[in-house]
Amino acid sequence: MSSSRTNGKVVPLESLGELVRDGESVAFGGGWFANHPMAAVRQLIRAGRTGIHAITVVGSVDMDLMAAAGTLGHLSFSMVTLEAFGLAPNVRRGIESGSLPFTEYTGLGLLIGLEAQGRGMPYLPYRGPFGSDIPARYPEIYATTNCPFTGEQLTAVRALQPDVAIVHALRADAEGNAQWDGTSGPDVEMAKAAKRVIVTCEEVVDRRVIVENAHMTKLPGYYVDAVIEAPFGAHPTSHVPRYAMDAWELMDYAAAAGDPEAIAEYVARIRNETEEGYRERVLKGRDKVLGALVDAAEVIEGAQA
Amino acid sequence: MSSSRTNGKVVPLESLGELVRDGESVAFGGGWFANHPMAAVRQLIRAGRTGIHAITVVGSVDMDLMAAAGTLGHLSFSMVTLEAFGLAPNVRRGIESGSLPFTEYTGLGLLIGLEAQGRGMPYLPYRGPFGSDIPARYPEIYATTNCPFTGEQLTAVRALQPDVAIVHALRADAEGNAQWDGTSGPDVEMAKAAKRVIVTCEEVVDRRVIVENAHMTKLPGYYVDAVIEAPFGAHPTSHVPRYAMDAWELMDYAAAAGDPEAIAEYVARIRNETEEGYRERVLKGRDKVLGALVDAAEVIEGAQA
Amino acid sequence: MTDYEIHELMTCRVAAEVDNDGVTVMGSFTPLAYASYMLAKLTHAKDAYLVGFDAVGMAPVQLSFTGAEASAYKGAVCRWGMLTEINSIHLANHGGVEAVSSAQFDGSGAINLSAIGPFEAPKVRLPGGAGAAEVIKMYRKMIAYFGNHNPRTLVDKVQFVTGTRWKVGDRAREEAGLQPGPIVVVTNLAVLVKDEDDRPFRIESVHPGVDVQTVVDNTGFELEVPAEVPTTAEPTPQQLDLLRNRIDPFGTVKFDFVSGKERLSYLRGILDAEWDRAAARVS
Amino acid sequence: MTDYEIHELMTCRVAAEVDNDGVTVMGSFTPLAYASYMLAKLTHAKDAYLVGFDAVGMAPVQLSFTGAEASAYKGAVCRWGMLTEINSIHLANHGGVEAVSSAQFDGSGAINLSAIGPFEAPKVRLPGGAGAAEVIKMYRKMIAYFGNHNPRTLVDKVQFVTGTRWKVGDRAREEAGLQPGPIVVVTNLAVLVKDEDDRPFRIESVHPGVDVQTVVDNTGFELEVPAEVPTTAEPTPQQLDLLRNRIDPFGTVKFDFVSGKERLSYLRGILDAEWDRAAARVS
């Protein structure tokens, strides 16, 4: 690779605030406690972005933290949960108080809406959530349609085009070719649907590394506008196989999240430090163990697979 | 893996004649001169199958050979070509004489019809071949439909469910988990759409090998009914990275294919030998060079990728 | 008879529904469901095809809060993403068993994971259903499990239908292009089954020591009570051994059965053990 | 001026249409189109994103009949399959340049790759269009190239429309949700361009030594002839060096320009050279 292209699409995390504007719709990758683009979430908070229409399939600490920080103007989701640590207190408070406008999708509907946009369709039909109360709430998103051959009644879901998608990959090169080994969840569909795509990754690598692992490339570079190196960029959620979720930090988060004062402090700490500072503060001496949690995870030996 | 499951779905090539019945529709994988399931094609000819409704996206020697052998009762295709070696003489003769009923699909329509079936849909819409004369010929396959949100007029293509799909993989295990490294073309969509799936492969391997290369698994075992080990099973088409297309055998085929007597002889030879006999006769001393053609193929060094 | 805890009996009963047909997908880390699938795969359903996160064709794994995701990939044969999974499993009618737990569940098979109170301004905003709205309809068997069988959870009519089985009876399901199969509810008291659209859930069995009237009293929807109600099978020593020593040595399944005050310290206890095991590898 | 052959000029002219935007997909082994893409990527369009077979994001490769497929994978960053490609490139409006050659081509931009004579009982059954029916419509630029410019190929009206550009003018294309861009026809005589629905193809340039009337006489559809018709740019020494020594040392592009009798021996000559190079690696 010639030096003229070495940097290509690579930008520092600090430029994220310029890449995402107030009021834009942003799809955030990952699911449950796996692989949310948390470094980007923290940076949006530091940049003071507001009015963001966040789109998540299964959000967790990413959505709750942005709700707490005042980043969100709208939340589209099919689930937001802190799982073992309970409901997401700040999302819950926002919706219950009416201060956070929201759209509740069904999970397949949300993914198929993203898929439709990504493949150039204004909608896609599927065997939808018949009997659910959700579609009738959103006639601009869900409609009924019929198969022109069999007459079967189906659910149509409208194409969903985020302004921006932010996803976290294992590695990417300067062209934006991005690879995942473990959980990629909804990341590829979000990226294919969005007008602009920002990939954060554990590591920016030479194109040669991408070629040698070509089967792991889930997002080719022509989709990608910016590549940001963000080690532990999914923390405190997981990025398997690099590190497991940081359940201890999540427990601290959950404890703070239910208390307005405590969560304000939690947010202020993030706002007043760099991402490097965050890593130093939170990971100090613990990064190796978070990686070892992955190594220690066991398949049941001797069992037939 | 316990011995009780070592064989699993693995059957010999000779059983193919029992797995596919006269008159069934069969989707054949591969495209152009890449990765057609040729050992299976030869075995269907040996088994004397007739009336097969073959479905191919871009067929070549596979379709022409079956047309010559009297295997086909119908041909659904978006292209059949011998490329540098000319048109496909026996397919051409069959269609021009009216003895081979056919359905000409547009390429995307055929793939999306297979996709629809594979994802449980009676049809799928797309921005179709507007202006083409093909859709009007097949109102049972192509229809117009409108987006329920925008009103945009789209093409609907009906789900296509082959009775059987036969695809050729690099390797598979006894559970049917199948991997490709190079060209897989339409193989995965064919397998997902078909009622029954037969995977031929260069090599049957232990599940452990599949797990170690999990990113190369394009077809999980739950789709697969039978696994057949067939080394050089795509010959004379290619199976990259194991071997390139055998252009020399294809040239001989093309020379014979245009001449009724010569092609009858060509077919008779195949009919009267085992697959092992075929390999010995055709490959003798040449298999290493067919592999080396892959190694010798060059990326332009020093160029930016 | 071996001593066992109620979550172990429930795990075994859910496991009994898992067979060698179709694909079972694990989404959120729901330890009881995960443990059931592993138990089935290690005993009567060795060919059960499991998908966890984006790991397709998993080997059975040991459960832990921080390690479940990583272990899913270690023995898996394939990697997909969410969209490929829904199109290749859920919507393709390859789904085997879908196990859910919801804030409210009613006698029609509907679940509420959305809101208690008005949808737009709820008293309690619930997490949402992820794919459950579509998936509980598509799968061959729908299982709902509840650690606390009471009429506030098992209600006459859910306040909001996040999703529903839609068609219940085998014939109605097949006519709609769906796989035939029942709804099975497994609680800390009993097993309830519904397999026809026009008939209520019936009590399939009560757990040892539970009387039928307790089940009826604690259920907010109508129940059909057969003349003879058998007792739910108890875990075998082999099952308990697998659960305690191989599948769930950290005790993650029990976590959902631990009540308010002890809950956090129970969780801390598990996480400490997980941390120690990992830390031992780096020191 | 360097000596060159007509297929080299045509290759360079097609290459000039390839830029750094969008994705270009190589399907069938069409050496002239392949060579054009490689030449562009090695000169003015280094960021051209190429897909060949299921190799996504290819490095530039040396052409050969037996090695083109294998070489595509060697420097590629990703593997897909046909369906992912059509949904992620063609239908997603990411297509850059689509180059086709067809048995018949007409002044509306329609191609016939299906049948000469009645469709159901044709005089000549042609190979079919693969994805061309949809793709020539979707891509930003449609290129059609013909080694033998004559009125039997460039016809007034194709006998069967396998596919068509559908909308030609930029505004009509944008209104239909398509990328704006022209149809460019490159032949052994001239370059023809159409970029409005209601106007015929115009002669953009004639190749050195070709007069305008020859082009008009050999074209079966109406042509707009500007007052001044420039001469097509000739290949530069750098382009010829790349084509002859790096991209196509075996001479695969010329194969389509070799007439009936010599054709087979020309092909054998190339294949002998490919065989010898490979055989040297195993002996």
Side-chain angles (χ1 to χ4, degrees), chain B residues 32 106 126 128 183 185 238, chain D residues 28 54 69 73-74 134 137 246:
Chain B
W32 299 283
T106 60
Y126 75 119
T183 306
S238 65
Chain D
S28 311
D54 296 324
E69 181 193 6
Y73 290 100
K74 290 192 177 182
E134 291 99 348
K137 164 176 64 67
R246 309 294 306 277

Side-chain angles (χ1 to χ4, degrees), chain A residues 83-102:
Chain A
E83 298 204 84
F85 311 106
L87 298 170
N90 294 286
V91 166
R92 201 184 141 184
R93 201 179 296 132
I95 291 180
E96 291 170 8
S97 70
S99 63
L100 178 58
F102 71 97

Side-chain angles (χ1 to χ4, degrees), chain D residues 113 153 169 215 260:
Chain D
L113 279 162
T153 303
V215 175

Side-chain angles (χ1 to χ4, degrees), chain A residues 12-282:
Chain A
L13 181 64
E14 289 68 31
S15 67
L16 189 70
E18 295 148 38
L19 298 174
V20 179
R21 294 182 284 268
D22 286 351
E24 287 194 312
S25 60
V26 182
F28 291 87
W32 298 285
F33 284 131
N35 199 35
H36 290 301
M38 293 302 299
V41 164
R42 288 185 286 269
Q43 194 62 33
L44 290 174
I45 291 171
R46 290 180 195 121
R49 291 283 74 78
T50 59
I52 296 296
H53 176 171
I55 299 166
T56 180
V57 177
V58 182
S60 61
V61 61
D62 54 341
M63 295 301 126
D64 202 67
L65 181 58
M66 286 191 291
T71 308
L72 301 186
H74 193 105
L75 177 62
S76 286
F77 67 100
S78 76
M79 182 179 260
V80 178
T81 174
L82 299 186
E83 298 204 84
F85 311 106
L87 298 170
N90 294 286
V91 166
R92 201 184 141 184
R93 201 179 296 132
I95 291 180
E96 291 170 8
S97 70
S99 63
L100 178 58
F102 71 97
T103 304
E104 180 175 2
Y105 275 85
T106 60
L108 275 60
L110 180 48
L111 281 160
I112 292 174
L114 292 166
E115 183 199 8
Q117 180 64 40
R119 60 194 277 177
M121 284 293 300
Y123 83 106
L124 275 176
Y126 74 119
R127 285 186 176 147
F130 307 136
S132 167
D133 285 340
I134 292 175
R137 294 250 157 204
Y138 305 106
E140 72 283 11
I141 297 172
Y142 292 92
T144 58
T145 188
N146 294 84
C147 173
F149 303 104
T150 64
E152 180 179 346
Q153 189 174 301
L154 297 155
T155 301
V157 61
R158 190 174 197 149
L160 174 60
Q161 183 176 42
D163 292 317
V164 184
I166 306 181
V167 298
H168 186 67
L170 175 60
R171 53 180 168 244
D173 66 13
E175 291 177 26
N177 301 299
Q179 301 189 327
W180 283 255
D181 189 358
T183 305
S184 63
D187 296 4
V188 174
E189 281 64 47
M190 287 176 165
K192 288 185 172 181
K195 290 180 200 157
R196 306 195 304 281
V197 177
I198 299 166
V199 173
T200 65
C201 60
E202 292 296 313
E203 199 179 352
V204 172
V205 297
D206 193 87
R207 187 180 199 275
R208 186 182 41 76
V209 178
I210 300 290
V211 170
E212 284 165 4
N213 298 282
H215 287 280
M216 294 164 74
T217 301
K218 299 199 166 188
L219 193 64
Y222 71 84
Y223 281 106
V224 175
D225 297 281
V227 172
I228 293 172
E229 188 169 80
F232 276 90
H235 183 274
T237 67
S238 65
H239 190 84
V240 169
R242 287 288 176 100
Y243 46 90
M245 69 174 185
D246 187 344
W248 300 270
E249 174 63 21
L250 287 166
M251 198 151 38
D252 288 352
Y253 177 82
D259 172 13
E261 267 186 53
I263 190 65
E265 233 173 84
Y266 191 101
V267 168
R269 261 201 310 275
I270 285 174
R271 227 190 270 280
N272 296 322
E273 69 194 349
T274 62
E275 180 67 10
E276 206 182 351
Y278 171 85
R279 285 198 300 273
E280 276 173 29
R281 175 173 62 83
V282 180

Side-chain angles (χ1 to χ4, degrees), chain D:
Chain D
M1 197 206 77
T2 322
D3 268 352
Y4 62 86
E5 294 185 72
I6 190 64
H7 67 270
E8 294 173 322
L9 177 143
M10 289 175 65
T11 302
C12 292
R13 181 59 190 83
V14 173
E17 294 296 329
V18 178
D19 54 35
N20 285 322
D21 295 327
V23 181
T24 291
V25 176
M26 298 174 279
S28 311
F29 183 57
T30 46
L32 191 145
Y34 275 38
S36 302
Y37 305 150
M38 299 312 150
L39 182 61
K41 195 162 171 64
L42 289 169
T43 55
H44 61 276
K46 292 183 163 55
D47 290 338
Y49 210 95
L50 302 182
V51 175
F53 293 88
D54 296 324
V56 177
M58 287 171 54
V61 300
Q62 184 194 80
L63 304 190
S64 65
F65 280 102
T66 59
E69 181 193 6
S71 60
Y73 290 100
K74 290 192 177 182
V77 296
C78 175
R79 301 281 188 277
W80 275 346
M82 281 182 181
L83 182 72
T84 307
E85 284 144 27
I86 68 177
N87 283 330
S88 305
I89 303 169
H90 309 331
L91 297 174
N93 273 345
H94 284 295
V97 169
E98 169 73 0
V100 297
S101 200
S102 55
Q104 294 185 324
F105 177 87
D106 74 23
S108 74
I111 59 173
N112 179 9
L113 279 162
S114 297
I116 304 295
F119 181 75
E120 292 293 350
K123 184 155 168 290
V124 182
R125 173 61 226 189
L126 299 166
E134 291 99 348
V135 171
I136 61 172
K137 164 176 64 67
M138 300 298 299
Y139 271 51
R140 182 158 46 87
K141 296 179 181 180
M142 172 185 177
I143 297 173
Y145 65 94
F146 301 96
N148 186 352
H149 190 144
N150 68 61
R152 293 173 310 283
T153 303
L154 303 183
V155 297
D156 182 44
K157 179 96 190 67
V158 294
Q159 291 182 20
F160 185 88
V161 179
T162 305
T164 163
R165 186 67 168 168
W166 189 47
K167 306 285 185 190
V168 179
D170 283 358
R171 199 202 294 179
R173 290 184 61 76
E174 290 184 305
E175 282 173 4
L178 301 170
Q179 304 176 82
I183 311 176
V184 178
V185 175
V186 178
T187 77
N188 59 319
L189 300 181
V191 179
L192 316 176
V193 173
K194 184 176 168 79
D195 49 19
E196 292 189 40
D197 291 87
D198 302 332
R199 283 175 67 178
F201 273 93
R202 71 171 180 278
I203 303 180
E204 182 194 86
S205 65
V206 291
H207 301 340
V210 176
D211 65 55
V212 166
Q213 195 55 44
T214 303
V215 175
V216 173
D217 290 347
N218 280 282
T219 303
F221 50 80
E222 187 190 353
L223 286 177
E224 191 175 301
V225 184
E228 299 273 313
V229 176
T231 303
T232 311
E234 299 186 328
T236 66
Q238 186 215 4
Q239 287 177 317
L240 290 171
D241 176 56
L242 284 169
L243 284 174
R244 293 171 183 174
N245 299 315
R246 309 294 306 277
I247 297 171
D248 191 26
F250 293 110
T252 64
V253 177
K254 187 172 178 178
F255 173 64
D256 285 330
F257 291 77
V258 176
S259 64
K261 283 173 200 164
E262 295 158 36
R263 201 170 154 79
L264 199 61
S265 66
Y266 186 87
L267 180 58
R268 279 196 193 280
I270 292 179
L271 292 177
D272 283 351
E274 294 186 16
W275 180 272
D276 290 346
R277 183 176 70 172
R281 299 175 73 101
V282 296
S283 57

Side-chain angles (χ1 to χ4, degrees), chain C residues 47-226:
Chain C
D47 290 337
Y49 210 94
L50 302 183
V51 174
F53 293 87
D54 296 325
V56 177
M58 286 171 55
V61 299
Q62 183 194 82
L63 303 190
S64 66
F65 280 102
T66 58
E69 180 194 6
S71 60
Y73 291 100
K74 291 193 177 181
V77 297
C78 176
R79 301 280 187 278
W80 276 346
M82 281 182 181
L83 181 72
T84 306
E85 285 144 26
I86 67 177
N87 282 330
S88 306
I89 302 169
H90 310 332
L91 296 174
N93 273 344
H94 285 294
V97 169
E98 168 72 0
V100 296
S101 200
S102 54
Q104 292 185 325
F105 176 88
D106 74 22
S108 74
I111 59 174
N112 179 8
L113 279 162
S114 298
I116 305 293
F119 181 76
E120 293 292 349
K123 185 154 166 292
V124 183
R125 172 63 226 189
L126 299 167
E134 291 99 347
V135 170
I136 60 172
K137 164 176 65 67
M138 299 300 299
Y139 271 50
R140 182 158 47 87
K141 297 179 180 180
M142 172 186 177
I143 298 172
Y145 66 93
F146 302 95
N148 186 352
H149 189 144
N150 68 60
R152 292 173 310 285
T153 304
L154 303 182
V155 298
D156 183 43
K157 179 95 188 67
V158 293
Q159 291 180 23
F160 185 88
V161 180
T162 306
T164 162
R165 185 68 168 169
W166 190 46
K167 306 285 185 189
V168 179
D170 283 359
R171 199 201 295 182
R173 290 185 61 77
E174 290 184 305
E175 282 173 3
L178 300 170
Q179 306 174 78
I183 310 175
V184 179
V185 175
V186 178
T187 76
N188 58 321
L189 299 180
V191 179
L192 316 176
V193 173
K194 183 175 170 78
D195 49 19
E196 292 187 40
D197 291 86
D198 302 332
R199 285 175 66 178
F201 273 92
R202 71 172 179 277
I203 302 179
E204 182 194 87
S205 66
V206 290
H207 301 340
V210 177
D211 66 57
V212 166
Q213 195 55 43
T214 305
V215 175
V216 172
D217 290 346
N218 280 283
T219 304
F221 50 80
E222 185 189 354
L223 286 176
E224 191 175 301
V225 183

